[in-house]
Amino acid sequence: MFATLAAEAVSTVTTVTNDAAWFLENAWIIPLLPAISFALILFFGKRMPYKGAEIGITAVSVSFILAILTGVAWLDHRDHFELEKYGEEQAIAVSDGAASATDTVAYTARFVAAEAGEGGAHPYVAVQSSTQWLQSGGIEFNAGIMVDGLSVMMLFVVTFISLLVHVYSTDYVGGDRRYTHFFAFLSLFTASMLFFVLSDNILQMIVGWELVGVCSFALIGHWWEEKPNSDAALKAFLTNRVGDVGLLVGMITLFFAAGGGKTFDTIKINEAVVQGGVSHTALVVAAACLTAAVMSKSGQFILHTWLPDAMAGPTPVSALIHAATMVVAGIYMVARLYPVFWEGMQIEGSSINLLATVGAITVVGAGLLAFVQDDIKKVLAYSTVSQLGYMAMALGVGAWTAAVFHLFTHAFFKANLFLGSGSVAHAVHSFDMKKDMGGMRKFMPKTYVTFVIGSLALAGVFPLAGFWSKDEILVNTGGWDLLGGSGAAPGSYTFHFVMGMIGAALTAAYMTRCVYLTFHGEYRGGHAAHDDHGHDHEEDAAHGHHGEPHESGPRILYPLYILSAFSILIGFVNLPPGFLAGSKKDPAGWQERFLHFVEPAGSSYFPAVGHATPSWSLAIVASLVAVAGAGFAYYYYFIRLDRLSKQLGESLVAIPNGITTTNVFARAGHTLLVNKYYFDHLYTGIIAGFTKGPLARAANWINQNVIDGTVNKAGESAVQAGQLVYHKIDQAVVDGAVNLSGRVSDASGEELRAINSGKVQNYAALMFAGAAVLAGAFVILLAL
């Protein structure tokens, strides 16, 4: 009832303006600066004192400042319409979906009337500025920007993480053989993602989507001389092309289906869907195809296999890919085109759909894979896959704000963890936790503290950032109604709720294992072959860089400090109602501030999503589940394994004769996980192997024996037919007839030559004979 009335109320209201603050109208400068930086670094970087790094850092710093100012302008823009024109309490209630349906309709009617001439405006007005690019067949192709809460949030996240990664990289990849090239593509990567999130139409989104993919290919394969690195880059590129087929089909479907208008404009497409102007069949097709695109770009099962292999790239690239750019592009695309999924998958009031189920399976499937990884970056990579599963699941169950908020918080603590893993690897020249790490807290106490903070935030420990966003996802599944009560969730997704709880336990457990193997026990390193910079270890040793690990420098540590602070505090920007309320002047305080400024509630291009009531019982149970997962891993590693290590006098990484060696089912499960569910074998060994082997040989045989045989037979038949025509028809018939006529003419000429002798008496005799014949003929005619 509420959704129907709210949708009807806003259906006639425009929610777009190009009359806004300068920073909102000119946000296109933010992606332009790193794009210019890319060109400048390529052309002039090697001549600069810091080999182009200073150009990249300056450009992204200015973009970051502009992103902050754009965010401030957006807050003022949003507040102007909600607080000044309609009163704070009711405006917030309607915007947050807390008002009754009757109040919402009445409230909406006021600003509809205001727009008609009373000086008012809509409570959520996005800023859209575009210009015509070209026109073909009566269709306009525009290029422009769309600035609203979602894009402003992404501008801040991308520029902030990118700036820290740039600073971090000046130390981490110092002396790299392609240092300038690295910073050039880092700038282009940042520009591509910023271009993508500001796109105001689906055609621009496709361009930005592909630009991000190309940049990831170049950066993952940065050390292309080593075959595993180039293979990983190709795997990422080709796997994403599979999903891109779905992207193109889905976008084309929306182009033709959105009200028959043939438009690329994102807002017009969303408005057409919200107002019922697109057939349900078209929405089902578009949503399913776009889900395939999300599966590849955002690493959802079963197209997730490229993402862990992408760790072959430099660690700063891994941090940027996993925290703020490429992998969240799919989640952002769903959030931007959310009406398509909301209506196409009938999310409201349902209990299962494709997007939510893919996300739920990804949460648990990737969490289990993280347990058997020896490479610290691959643990974090599978963790990213699992957390992206949370985001996809949240969007699938109708928890739009929860999904976007988890994207926001995840960016900070996952960047913290990746850069922290790089700090450790920088010291030991390896990413292998079992062989080359252990006891690192003694050598790197500062990195240790930041890594633990990031791990706790990822595990969802109160009150760190991950707790607030993950709890919001779980409560919005509606699954807690199974035990009595969160209420008001968009649907009843009990299966997804259970998978989310299992994922919470797995996350806490595998991060406890990761912390132990990396920082606790005894140091096991000192024999790695090469580090993450493409340097030879022997060369490092010759220059005195090899030996006992030591703490990283300030350009690595300070980004970790900043990200750790955000991992602790950033969750407070969206506190649930009833927690840390404000003053009388500002009763909401910090409650749901993120929702208030980011979710386009009440706009004509966004569905009327519901929000579940916060459940403290669920928060407590979910925390206990996470603690149980961490406690199990803690008992295994910190107590049993540590005690056994001291007894044996050596640093162990697993208990000898453990359950995986004594129990047949545990051993089979462990083998399945070690082989990553055999997806790589399926794709590489069976599908690619079959394509390159039997299928290629069969195609070659068909080409040689069927196609070429048919062509050759046709050629031979044509030659035989030509010979038949030449010998039997041309030579025998045509030439024979011509030759016969010649012989007849020759014979006739000989006879005539005998008559034409030149004697007068012969001619007279012929004339007399002719006259006699003619006279006979006349006599006969007269007689008749």
Side-chain angles (χ1 to χ4, degrees), residues 552-594:
S552 299
R555 285 174 290 165
I556 289 179
L557 287 177
Y558 278 104
L560 296 179
Y561 297 156
I562 296 170
L563 290 168
S564 295
F566 272 77
S567 299
I568 296 170
L569 301 173
I570 204 66
F572 290 94
V573 302
N574 200 47
L575 294 177
F579 194 89
L580 293 183
S583 62
K584 290 183 178 180
K585 184 178 180 181
D586 183 16
W590 285 93
Q591 296 176 49
E592 297 189 320
R593 293 296 85 195
F594 184 88

Side-chain angles (χ1 to χ4, degrees), residues 213-572:
V214 170
C215 293
S216 69
F217 171 77
L219 288 169
I220 293 170
H222 180 69
W223 298 305
W224 51 264
E225 296 90 345
E226 300 173 25
K227 192 174 186 300
N229 298 339
S230 57
D231 287 347
L234 285 170
K235 185 176 183 179
F237 188 79
L238 295 175
T239 304
N240 276 277
R241 298 292 74 74
V242 175
D244 287 354
V245 174
L247 177 75
L248 294 176
V249 173
M251 293 299 194
I252 291 170
T253 302
L254 292 177
F255 170 73
F256 286 105
K262 295 184 180 180
T263 179
F264 290 107
D265 190 281
T266 305
I267 290 181
K268 290 180 180 178
I269 291 172
N270 283 341
E271 284 180 334
V273 175
V274 171
Q275 296 170 15
V278 182
S279 72
H280 183 67
T281 301
L283 291 176
V284 170
V285 172
C289 291
L290 294 178
T291 298
V294 176
M295 290 170 66
S296 64
K297 187 70 77 177
S298 293
Q300 303 295 293
F301 271 46
I302 58 176
L303 297 178
H304 67 285
T305 56
W306 69 269
L307 206 151
D309 288 2
M311 298 302 96
T315 298
V317 173
S318 303
L320 195 56
I321 287 177
H322 287 250
T325 53
M326 183 172 178
V327 297
V328 298
I331 303 300
Y332 176 86
M333 182 265 290
V334 177
R336 177 57 74 203
L337 297 171
Y338 198 55
V340 176
F341 295 85
W342 179 265
E343 299 293 341
M345 295 187 175
Q346 296 183 319
I347 291 173
E348 185 178 30
S350 182
S351 61
I352 192 168
N353 61 66
L354 177 63
L355 180 63
T357 303
V358 166
I361 294 172
T362 303
V363 168
V364 175
L368 289 170
L369 288 175
F371 266 109
V372 297
Q373 304 304 313
D374 298 340
D375 187 311
I376 186 173
K377 282 212 302 184
K378 289 194 175 181
V379 173
L380 299 177
Y382 281 114
S383 171
T384 299
V385 174
S386 183
Q387 299 308 306
L388 290 167
Y390 268 112
M391 299 173 204
M393 182 180 76
L395 290 166
V397 303
W400 187 92
T401 300
V404 175
F405 186 46
H406 195 56
L407 183 158
F408 181 67
T409 61
H410 175 264
F412 301 108
F413 55 72
K414 187 50 63 70
N416 184 23
L417 289 170
F418 266 108
L419 297 183
S421 71
S423 178
V424 178
H426 193 65
V428 300
H429 306 281
S430 171
F431 289 100
D432 196 314
M433 299 182 296
K434 288 188 174 182
K435 292 181 180 179
D436 301 310
M437 296 184 187
M440 294 304 297
R441 64 173 178 163
K442 294 180 293 187
F443 308 112
M444 311 183 74
K446 297 175 183 177
T447 298
Y448 171 67
V449 171
T450 61
F451 196 89
V452 169
I453 291 173
S455 299
L456 293 174
L458 174 60
V461 174
F462 178 85
L464 277 69
F467 168 81
W468 303 104
S469 56
K470 194 174 294 184
D471 181 69
E472 193 171 336
I473 292 174
L474 293 174
V475 75
N476 275 278
T477 62
W480 194 238
D481 285 335
L482 178 68
L483 300 176
S486 61
S492 182
Y493 293 87
T494 304
F495 167 75
H496 307 83
F497 165 75
V498 173
M499 295 293 275
M501 294 289 274
I502 295 172
L506 292 174
T507 302
Y510 66 66
M511 287 311 299
T512 301
R513 170 184 178 267
C514 180
V515 169
Y516 177 83
L517 292 178
T518 304
F519 294 99
H520 290 266
E522 297 298 324
Y523 178 53
R524 298 178 293 274
H527 56 271
H530 62 273
D531 64 10
D532 192 32
H533 311 98
H535 290 158
D536 229 2
H537 233 208
E538 295 178 0
E539 180 183 344
D540 287 337
H543 289 84
H545 300 300
H546 191 65
E548 189 175 88
H550 56 83
E551 187 62 87
S552 299
R555 285 174 290 165
I556 289 179
L557 287 177
Y558 278 104
L560 296 179
Y561 297 156
I562 296 170
L563 290 168
S564 295
F566 272 77
S567 299
I568 296 170
L569 301 173
I570 204 66
F572 290 94

Side-chain angles (χ1 to χ4, degrees), residues 739-758:
N739 293 337
L740 177 62
S741 65
R743 286 195 293 272
V744 170
S745 299
D746 184 64
S748 301
E750 291 296 330
E751 294 298 324
L752 291 174
R753 190 178 295 113
I755 296 175
N756 187 20
S757 60

Side-chain angles (χ1 to χ4, degrees), residues 586-728:
D586 183 16
W590 285 93
Q591 296 176 49
E592 297 189 320
R593 293 296 85 195
F594 184 88
L595 179 151
H596 184 64
F597 288 108
V598 174
E599 182 181 294
S603 68
S604 64
Y605 65 89
F606 192 75
V609 301
H611 301 93
T613 304
S615 172
W616 290 110
S617 61
L618 172 58
I620 293 170
V621 171
S623 297
L624 291 176
V625 167
V627 169
F632 175 81
Y634 184 88
Y635 173 74
Y636 180 88
Y637 288 101
F638 284 82
I639 298 177
R640 290 191 62 194
L641 187 61
D642 199 54
R643 182 172 56 207
L644 186 58
S645 298
K646 291 176 181 178
Q647 291 174 355
L648 298 176
E650 59 179 304
S651 181
L652 299 177
V653 294
I655 295 177
N657 300 318
I659 189 173
T660 57
T661 58
T662 58
N663 184 284
V664 62
F665 296 106
R667 182 166 61 251
H670 184 264
T671 302
L672 180 67
L673 294 177
V674 168
N675 288 280
K676 296 173 283 191
Y677 305 118
Y678 295 96
F679 280 125
D680 282 337
H681 176 67
L682 172 65
Y683 299 151
T684 306
I686 297 179
I687 297 178
F690 174 75
T691 303
K692 294 187 295 184
L695 184 61
R697 288 193 293 271
N700 183 64
W701 186 89
I702 293 173
N703 180 57
Q704 296 293 324
N705 296 279
V706 178
I707 299 175
D708 285 357
T710 301
V711 173
N712 293 337
K713 191 65 178 177
E716 293 172 359
S717 300
V719 171
Q720 292 173 356
Q723 292 176 342
L724 177 66
V725 169
Y726 176 76
H727 292 294
K728 302 299 183 183

